[in-house]
Amino acid sequence: MSCDLIGGKLEGCKSAVGGLLAVYFINFDDLDVEANATFGSTHESDVITAIAAGSTTLYKFELKADANSLETNIQASRENGTSFFNSVLNIAIKKQDTKTTKNIKLMSYGRPYAIVHTRGNQFFLMGLQQGCDVTGGTMSAGSSLDSFVGYTVTLEANEVTPPNFLNASTETALTALMGGAITIETT
């Protein structure tokens, strides 16, 4: 049966760190990730090992504050016989400018893919089949000299699987995983 367990897990060392380093967005219409992805085998079948991306642009947003998070909620119903995963990405982007305001507006209109880079040097793809939707956020000018000035954005993805691991631990490996023909834009 496809829902049988495949193994257990030992208590790990206390070497993990939390937080996010960056998020990379890909316009949904620029790439059908699911159709162009190669997945691992057996217990690593949720790991994406390659994406035939062609010439695609990733839009990188660096995230240095502790206000950034990725949480995945398991939504299962015995009564309905259903399960899905609701992933919520909260990001805080410092300082306001016209280009970022326009990008957030366009992100709100679209449903981009999000590649999340954690402080533990793991990469996750959020929105494999349906992309991500902006579900909230703020543009803040602050109230005092030491207030946060910038944007907070919440994105959600409802998928049949949790965010997929990408077989990469560096930006160079991410570029190679996507076929090397990608551009990473940061400004």
Side-chain angles (χ1 to χ4, degrees):
M1 180 175 229
S2 65
C3 54
D4 290 341
L5 297 175
I6 60 169
K9 183 163 176 33
L10 297 174
E11 178 71 22
C13 298
K14 296 180 284 185
S15 60
V17 294
L20 306 181
L21 291 173
V23 63
Y24 305 79
F25 293 103
I26 306 169
N27 289 319
F28 189 81
D29 293 334
D30 289 353
L31 178 64
D32 184 348
V33 172
E34 186 178 31
N36 292 296
T38 304
F39 294 86
S41 58
T42 62
H43 72 281
E44 293 189 349
S45 61
D46 289 335
V47 176
I48 296 176
T49 59
I51 300 172
S55 75
T56 301
T57 301
L58 301 181
Y59 300 95
K60 179 180 180 180
F61 289 76
E62 287 185 340
L63 307 172
K64 301 290 185 184
D66 289 338
N68 305 290
S69 65
L70 172 61
E71 299 284 335
T72 299
N73 304 297
I74 303 166
Q75 306 289 328
S77 170
R78 180 182 293 262
E79 290 77 22
N80 296 332
T82 58
S83 294
F84 71 94
F85 298 85
N86 168 255
S87 296
V88 180
L89 176 65
N90 290 298
I91 58 174
I93 303 164
K94 297 175 198 150
K95 296 189 178 178
Q96 292 183 1
D97 59 70
T98 56
K99 185 173 184 181
T100 305
T101 298
K102 177 126 184 166
N103 275 325
I104 290 172
K105 177 182 78 171
L106 295 172
M107 190 183 308
S108 298
Y109 294 166
R111 54 185 174 124
Y113 299 107
I115 296 174
V116 179
H117 183 191
T118 70
R119 286 186 184 151
N121 282 324
Q122 293 176 308
F123 287 83
F124 294 94
L125 174 66
M126 188 175 151
L128 175 69
Q129 295 174 324
Q130 301 179 67
C132 303
D133 291 301
V134 172
T135 59
T138 61
M139 290 185 260
S140 178
S143 60
S144 63
L145 288 175
D146 64 346
S147 293
F148 175 78
V149 175
Y151 313 86
T152 61
V153 182
T154 300
L155 294 104
E156 290 191 42
N158 291 310
E159 299 283 343
V160 297
T161 61
N164 295 82
F165 282 85
L166 297 178
N167 190 22
S169 60
T170 65
E171 195 170 272
T172 302
L174 175 65
T175 302
L177 179 134
M178 298 189 76
I182 62 168
T183 301
I184 297 177
E185 184 180 311
T186 56
T187 56

